[in-house]
Amino acid sequence: MKIAGLASNRGRNLRHIADVAPGGAEPSVVLTNREGAPVIEAAAERRIPTEVVVREDDESRESHEKRILDRLAAYDFDLVCLDGYMRVLTDEFLDAAPTTLNVHPSLLPAFPGTDAHEQVLDAGVRTTGCTVHVVTEAVDDGPIVTQEPVPVYEDDDEDTLKRRVLQEAEFTAYPRAVRWFAEGSVDVEADADGTPVSVAVDGDTGGSFPARRFASEDRAASLRYGENPHQDAALYADPACEEASVVGADALNPGSKGMGYNNYNDADAALGLVKEFDAPAAAVIKHTNPAGCATADTLAGAYDRALRTDAKSAFGGIVALNRQCDADTAEAIVESFKEVVVAPGYTESALDVLREKKNLRVLDVGPLGAGDERFSERFVEKSIVGGRLVQERDLQSPSVDDLEIVTERDPTDEQLETMIFAWKTLKHVKSNGILFATGTETVGVGMGQVSRVDAVTLAAMKAEKDAEGKSAAGAVMASDAFFPFPDAVEEAAAAGIEAVIQPGGSVNDEDVIEAANDHDMAMAFTGSRCFRHD
């Protein structure tokens, strides 16, 4: 699609559209009605042809527009984009030209005219933005194509608001509108006189992954620093979130240091893990990975089993519990240095114990809920340069009946129970992830490796070197993705693994199964993987 751009001054939006080429659209000409307008030099730098058509002192608007149309006739264009074009167009131009768009620096129909930012500030509104609309002879009154909101802050003045509306709203909305036209997604309907009256956009729908998203979050805290001391950071909260979270947790240890970026990140990971289990569960997290996890008949028992997986790595870690913390569990937690404890409540005696550690952050997230109620948030997202990745949360929770046994040897009932526990825990281990478990407790964890065999080797090493009173011998191994070759199974067999749970689906599944049979191992397929890369 080719664009004819009309501007009277800098033409910042036209420059931006030329730079990003939304939908492949590009300006074929930039025309200005003002000699020496900065947009001329900006267009020339981009090798875009320019035209200057100045209105004479006694010239009518219609005559001036006819001369503009005559000059534009030498160029091919499918869309006209105005950008700070300080003339109201008449039917002389609009009837002869293709669809003409303009961007206005407010959310029309509010605050039309040339002083929109002043009007916004005088009115005291808390949200402004921009509007891209089809141009008609009525000023700022054509049918709306798209809008983009921008918050208004207490310390805003006209200059700061103008700059943010341009950079945060107009640079988003105008290219979007152009892209829609370039893709043929826009239907402009006109009345009997040919005046545009409505706009419909194909595909601009809602649902789980809408074509457009607006996110509004409130700053909940200014953090001491980010991942490292030289990085500033803040915590933003979603006020509509109903799920128990560390963002809205009450801090119950007055005088302790404030939560930092890493503390929140690790605490969120820890809480997400213990939500997986109905039985009393405890997890110890270090750098968002489980150093250990277990369930047991008592919370103190679960914490003890989780800690003994890797007490060395648990030093300075985060503890999460899925039950009210009691005194016995609290006494065990404070025996070594921890940064944060997260739980859905605490007994008074537990708080007395935990508060003896002045810098231990103690977070009460409130009731977790039961079953699926624990997971009200359907999506997770990750910011990347230039955008955000959004996906559904991995809420898969296979049962024994969902497993496909693929080896000659069937797993025992106890091994099947361990497989389910291991899979739920493995979902929270960074890929490539391998986890060894017995009963309902971790034995060794191999996380974040670029080789699956190395992840097996690491899990075996951690089990033998760092686990207290535990061993890989006789344990179950869980893998977050299929084994491309039998070598990882061979490595696991050497460590003493007797059963394996994995997704399956490799072209070499038969070789992997054969290796398991050769070592008298039981193996089950889940049919789905549980990668975790963030």
Side-chain angles (χ1 to χ4, degrees), residues 10 73 102 109 129 192 240 267 303 407 413 472 501:
R10 299 181 185 276
N102 189 33
Y303 174 73
T407 47
D413 290 344
I501 180 172

Side-chain angles (χ1 to χ4, degrees), residues 52-260:
V52 180
V53 182
V54 178
R55 182 182 175 187
E56 303 295 339
D57 291 341
D58 58 350
E59 186 178 19
S60 68
R61 292 162 58 196
E62 290 80 6
S63 172
H64 181 232
E65 290 174 6
K66 186 177 185 305
R67 289 198 297 120
I68 290 174
L69 289 168
D70 289 343
R71 196 75 64 86
L72 292 178
Y75 303 91
D76 291 329
F77 59 96
D78 312 288
L79 186 70
V80 177
C81 291
L82 308 185
D83 182 17
Y85 186 69
M86 305 305 292
R87 293 291 179 187
V88 177
L89 296 173
T90 69
D91 286 342
E92 178 74 28
F93 183 92
L94 297 175
D95 289 346
T99 299
T100 301
L101 301 181
N102 189 33
V103 61
H104 181 77
S106 77
L107 298 176
L108 293 173
F111 313 121
T114 59
D115 59 348
H117 302 306
E118 181 181 356
Q119 294 181 63
V120 165
L121 293 172
D122 288 345
V125 298
R126 297 305 181 189
T127 303
T128 184
C130 76
T131 302
V132 180
H133 64 97
V134 178
V135 176
T136 64
E137 199 166 10
V139 177
D140 298 332
D141 194 40
I144 292 170
V145 180
T146 189
Q147 294 178 306
E148 192 75 15
V150 169
V152 181
Y153 299 126
E154 290 291 346
D155 60 352
D156 268 328
D157 57 28
E158 287 186 49
D159 288 338
T160 61
L161 192 58
K162 178 180 180 180
R163 182 167 55 251
R164 288 194 300 105
V165 168
L166 172 70
Q167 295 174 351
E168 298 176 19
E170 294 181 16
F171 280 4
T172 297
Y174 216 160
R176 176 196 298 143
V178 171
R179 174 172 55 83
W180 282 346
F181 274 91
E183 295 171 346
S185 301
V186 184
D187 182 20
V188 180
E189 292 194 12
D191 61 16
D193 296 328
T195 302
V197 292
S198 67
V199 169
V201 181
D202 296 337
D204 187 28
T205 56
S208 298
F209 298 99
R212 294 177 294 133
R213 274 199 338 144
F214 298 136
S216 177
E217 297 171 336
D218 301 328
R219 190 179 66 201
S222 294
L223 306 182
R224 292 182 300 137
Y225 53 80
E227 285 185 290
N228 301 288
H230 65 275
Q231 296 171 267
D232 292 335
L235 171 69
Y236 285 82
D238 176 5
C241 177
E242 298 179 350
E243 184 174 329
S245 77
V246 297
V247 173
D250 293 327
L252 303 183
N253 193 5
S256 65
K257 292 185 293 185
M259 291 279 288

Side-chain angles (χ1 to χ4, degrees), residues 303 329-338 341 350 353-357 360:
Y303 174 73
T329 307
E331 290 281 3
I333 290 171
V334 299
E335 286 180 0
S336 61
F337 172 58
K338 301 294 186 302
V341 181
V353 172
L354 297 172
R355 285 170 177 163
E356 292 177 1
K357 299 294 183 179
L360 177 65

